[in-house]
């Protein structure tokens, strides 16, 4: 267990230290009246789109209307995915947010409709309420009765296998009462893992036996001159030792589906090997959740399903989405595309964004516009700060010019490359020479295309049919 814990901690550290394409996004950058600030929470520009996204955010938070769909449409590199990430960050952890790329649905393991169904149910949360018996108090004394074969030790709680076969007594108190509890081996081990000692305020879950250390009693704060920086002092609990508390668990419908569909369902959540889930299982779960809602034990939390590159879906997937959005428990659907008028996949018909007209009619469409030069400069400033790169003002001006003439993504890619070039010459601040060096080393799309057209006769399987044909092929 200790190895697993260390592994999970190392993974957490790795996840925190790694910098992603949208790791600088903290929210939508709106004020209290849902007006977009010029630059806030990692978002820059796109003011009309962000204001519209703010209204969608309010719609999601209210959770009263199901099955609404939003289309984020714009040219490549205009911040569509950033808008979706801003919505996700603003919602917080309480609201489910599932994200998939349209190409993920075309798998050999799952049918397209099954993959879409699982994605929909990952975006629907269930907040389950239950009452738990909690014993909460300040530890007065822990007394352990050791077998004759065991060596005598201190009055603290032992940990690990040392607790096996032992019994003991735990004295807890509140401001009103004091009680002695008999302890078994498992409870002694749990107390030892939490390193509970006299003067700690703890909470015991009677059903699961879980021990939670709430802090150190204020009444014992003068017992020791030296305390750790993270030592938390709390008041001694009042009233009865044994209390009933409402505990809330938040899970998604997909997690309930997986756990109930397979014998090793809980482990399947970690491995990702969920497989096809039978419709009968989902119907039983929906019936049970409906019963819990009527009894007040649970409530539905409609979340958000984000499908990127939605033009990759075919006509069958769009027909499924049309039907799925009419369900009472459907989440808010947010889709994004960078295509203009193009062919609907699976047909010979052309349509705006490659989406059938009947499905387009269901959508609230938010458009994004290309960034201005000033906005590109602000985004590059944010990315330099996010990637911990010190860059001179002249270098930022040059990088902004490159981003304006080529693309924002290409300019962002050059930041870390230029920082490495700066380290190579043992510099501390990225200068113009570093930007120029990586600009020469790494081609953008325009220069790469120009190079290809000049030397395409030397590439394999190239057929040069004429300059006009080549231009038509590039446009298509």
């Amino acid at each position: 267990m200790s190895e697993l814990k260390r592994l999970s901690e190392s993974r957490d550290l790795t996840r925190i230290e790694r910098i992603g394409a949208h790791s600088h996004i903290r929210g939508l950058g709106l004020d209290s009246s849902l007006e977009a600030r010029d630059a806030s929470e990692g978002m820059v520009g796109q003011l009309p789109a962000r204001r519209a996204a703010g209204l969608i955010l309010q719609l999601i938070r209210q959770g009263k209307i199901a099955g609404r769909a939003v289309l984020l449409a714009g040219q490549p590199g205009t911040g569509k995915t950033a808008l979706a990430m801003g919505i996700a960050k603003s919602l917080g952890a309480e609201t489910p947010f599932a994200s998939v790329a349209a190409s993920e649905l075309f798998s050999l393991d799952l049918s397209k409709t099954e993959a879409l169904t699982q994605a929909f149910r990952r975006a629907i949360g269930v907040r389950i309420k239950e009452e738990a018996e909690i014993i909460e108090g300040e530890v007065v004394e822990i007394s352990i009765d050791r077998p004759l074969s065991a060596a005598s030790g201190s009055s603290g709680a032992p940990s690990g296998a040392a607790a096996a076969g032992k019994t003991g007594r735990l004295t807890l108190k509140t401001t009103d009462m004091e009680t002695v509890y008999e302890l078994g081996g498992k409870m002694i081990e749990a107390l030892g893992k939490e390193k509970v000692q006299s003067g700690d305020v703890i909470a015991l879950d009677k059903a699961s036996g879980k021990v939670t250390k709430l802090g150190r009693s204020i009444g014992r704060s003068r017992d020791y001159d030296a305390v750790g920086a993270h030592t938390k002092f709390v008041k001694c609990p009042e009233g009865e030792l044994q209390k009933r508390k409402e505990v809330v668990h938040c899970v998604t419908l997909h997690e309930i589906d997986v756990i109930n569909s397979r014998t090793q369902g809980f482990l399947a959540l970690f491995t990702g090997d969920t497989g096809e889930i039978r419709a009968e299982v989902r119907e039983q779960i929906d019936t049970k959740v409906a019963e819990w809602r009527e009894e007040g034990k649970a409530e539905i939390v409609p979340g958000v399903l984000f499908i990127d590159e939605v033009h990759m879906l075919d006509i069958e997937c769009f027909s499924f989405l049309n039907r799925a959005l009419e369900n009472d428990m459907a989440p808010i659907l947010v889709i994004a595309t960078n295509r203009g008028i193009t062919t609907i996949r699976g047909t010979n018909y052309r349509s705006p964004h490659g989406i059938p007209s009947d499905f387009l009619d269901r959508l609230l469409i938010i458009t994004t516009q290309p960034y201005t030069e000033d906005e590109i400069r602000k985004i590059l400033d944010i990315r330099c700060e996010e990637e911990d790169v010190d860059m001179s003002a002249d270098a930022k001006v040059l990088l902004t010019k490159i981003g304006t003439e080529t693309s924002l993504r290409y300019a962002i890619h050059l930041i870390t490359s230029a920082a490495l070039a700066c380290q190579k010459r043992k510099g501390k601040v990225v200068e113009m020479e570093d930007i120029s060096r990586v600009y020469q080393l790494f081609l953008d799309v325009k220069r790469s295309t120009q190079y290809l057209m000049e030397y395409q006769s030397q590439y394999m399987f190239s057929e040069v049919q004429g300059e006009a044909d080549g231009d038509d092929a590039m446009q298509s």
Side-chain angles (χ1 to χ4, degrees):
M1 287 297 292
S2 61
E3 291 179 1
L4 286 173
K5 187 176 180 181
R6 283 197 296 271
L7 180 61
S8 65
E9 288 175 353
S10 66
R11 284 177 179 168
D12 290 343
L13 289 172
T14 305
R15 186 169 64 251
I16 292 168
E17 290 170 359
R18 287 181 67 85
I19 298 169
H22 299 98
S23 57
H24 63 285
I25 303 295
R26 308 283 186 266
L28 285 172
L30 305 174
D31 59 20
S32 56
S33 59
L34 297 182
E35 285 296 319
R37 305 184 186 96
D38 288 337
S40 177
E41 295 183 327
M43 298 292 289
V44 176
Q46 305 294 352
L47 302 185
R50 284 160 56 199
R51 282 196 291 267
L55 294 177
I56 298 299
L57 185 66
Q58 291 296 101
L59 184 73
I60 297 165
R61 281 175 173 163
Q62 288 178 2
K64 294 179 181 178
I65 302 177
R68 292 299 170 91
V70 181
L71 170 63
L72 305 177
Q75 301 95 317
T78 52
K80 298 181 293 298
T81 307
L83 269 178
M85 293 299 297
I87 292 173
K89 295 286 186 181
S90 300
L91 287 173
E94 286 294 317
T95 305
F97 185 93
S99 177
V100 295
S103 55
E104 292 179 33
L105 305 177
F106 298 91
S107 165
L108 295 175
D109 299 329
L110 299 175
S111 65
K112 293 175 287 188
T113 53
E114 173 65 20
L116 274 172
T117 303
Q118 291 191 12
F120 261 73
R121 291 176 77 86
R122 276 201 301 270
I124 303 170
V126 183
R127 192 178 286 124
I128 303 170
K129 304 172 187 175
E130 63 176 1
E131 285 193 345
E133 293 277 350
I134 302 291
I135 299 173
E136 192 174 283
E138 178 185 333
V139 178
V140 178
E141 183 185 9
I142 302 176
S143 175
I144 308 299
D145 299 328
R146 293 175 172 79
L148 295 175
S149 58
S152 58
S154 63
S155 61
S159 61
K166 295 183 176 63
T167 58
R169 288 172 297 280
L170 171 67
T171 307
L172 291 177
K173 73 169 185 177
T174 64
T175 54
D176 299 332
M177 62 183 296
E178 182 174 317
T179 307
V180 179
Y181 294 94
E182 297 291 330
L183 298 177
K186 287 185 178 180
M187 186 59 71
I188 292 172
E189 185 177 350
L191 291 168
K193 282 182 179 177
E194 289 292 322
K195 298 180 180 177
V196 175
Q197 56 184 342
S198 299
D200 290 338
V201 177
I202 63 172
L204 304 175
D205 189 334
K206 286 187 70 176
S208 64
K210 182 182 177 182
V211 178
T212 305
K213 185 154 68 167
L214 304 177
R216 191 92 181 136
S217 174
I218 291 178
R220 307 292 288 268
S221 60
R222 298 180 180 273
D223 288 5
Y224 304 98
D225 293 333
V227 294
H230 300 289
T231 303
K232 179 182 177 183
F233 289 100
V234 295
K235 291 182 179 180
C236 180
E238 300 177 354
E240 297 284 332
L241 273 165
Q242 190 165 314
K243 302 167 185 172
R244 296 184 68 87
K245 283 193 174 181
E246 188 178 79
V247 181
V248 179
H249 308 283
C250 292
V251 294
T252 65
L253 281 178
H254 176 66
E255 289 170 345
I256 302 174
D257 292 344
V258 173
I259 291 171
N260 286 276
S261 65
R262 306 183 65 176
T263 53
Q264 299 295 325
F266 187 71
L267 295 177
L269 285 174
F270 295 96
T271 61
D273 181 22
T274 58
E276 297 265 355
I277 298 173
R278 291 181 292 114
E280 294 84 0
V281 174
R282 290 197 173 107
E283 287 176 5
Q284 292 173 3
I285 289 169
D286 290 345
T287 304
K288 192 65 180 175
V289 170
E291 290 177 6
W292 290 344
R293 290 175 68 186
E294 289 179 2
E295 295 170 3
K297 292 181 180 178
E299 60 180 298
I300 297 295
V301 185
V304 181
L305 172 60
F306 175 57
I307 303 179
D308 206 359
E309 306 295 338
V310 74
H311 53 266
M312 293 295 294
L313 297 181
D314 61 13
I315 190 68
E316 296 174 7
C317 293
F318 285 119
S319 299
F320 177 85
L321 289 176
N322 260 324
R323 179 70 185 87
L325 287 175
E326 294 174 354
N327 195 322
D328 292 342
M329 291 201 301
I332 301 293
L333 179 65
V334 180
I335 57 179
T337 181
N338 55 19
R339 298 296 171 92
I341 298 175
T342 185
T343 304
I344 303 170
R345 190 171 178 179
T347 71
N348 295 322
Y349 297 99
R350 291 166 65 83
S351 176
H353 313 299
I355 300 173
S357 57
D358 61 336
F359 189 70
L360 270 174
D361 195 39
R362 291 178 177 271
L363 303 175
L364 295 169
I365 303 176
I366 300 174
T367 58
T368 55
Q369 306 298 326
Y371 289 107
T372 64
E373 185 174 344
D374 184 50
E375 289 168 350
I376 289 175
R377 171 63 186 266
K378 290 178 181 177
I379 292 171
L380 293 175
D381 286 339
I382 293 171
R383 289 303 301 181
C384 286
E385 184 179 348
E386 180 73 13
E387 298 178 27
D388 199 18
V389 173
D390 291 329
M391 188 177 293
S392 67
D394 292 339
K396 286 182 179 178
V397 170
L398 177 59
L399 193 60
T400 303
K401 185 178 180 183
I402 291 172
T404 305
E405 294 179 353
T406 58
S407 71
L408 175 60
R409 287 172 177 164
Y410 176 71
I412 289 174
H413 289 327
L414 293 184
I415 293 175
T416 302
S417 305
L420 294 173
C422 176
Q423 289 179 12
K424 180 112 184 197
R425 65 174 179 81
K426 300 207 171 20
K428 294 184 178 179
V429 179
V430 175
E431 301 289 350
M432 290 180 65
E433 60 182 285
D434 302 312
I435 301 292
S436 301
R437 177 170 173 76
V438 295
Y439 180 74
Q440 293 169 1
L441 289 173
F442 304 105
L443 300 183
D444 59 274
V445 175
K446 291 180 182 177
R447 287 184 293 156
S448 178
T449 305
Q450 183 180 359
Y451 178 87
L452 183 62
M453 293 181 69
E454 288 179 6
Y455 297 99
Q456 66 176 339
S457 60
Q458 300 177 23
Y459 282 79
M460 291 183 65
F461 307 114
S462 66
E463 296 179 3
V464 182
Q465 298 177 357
E467 192 173 297
D469 293 343
D471 291 344
D472 291 341
M474 287 303 301
Q475 288 175 6
S476 62

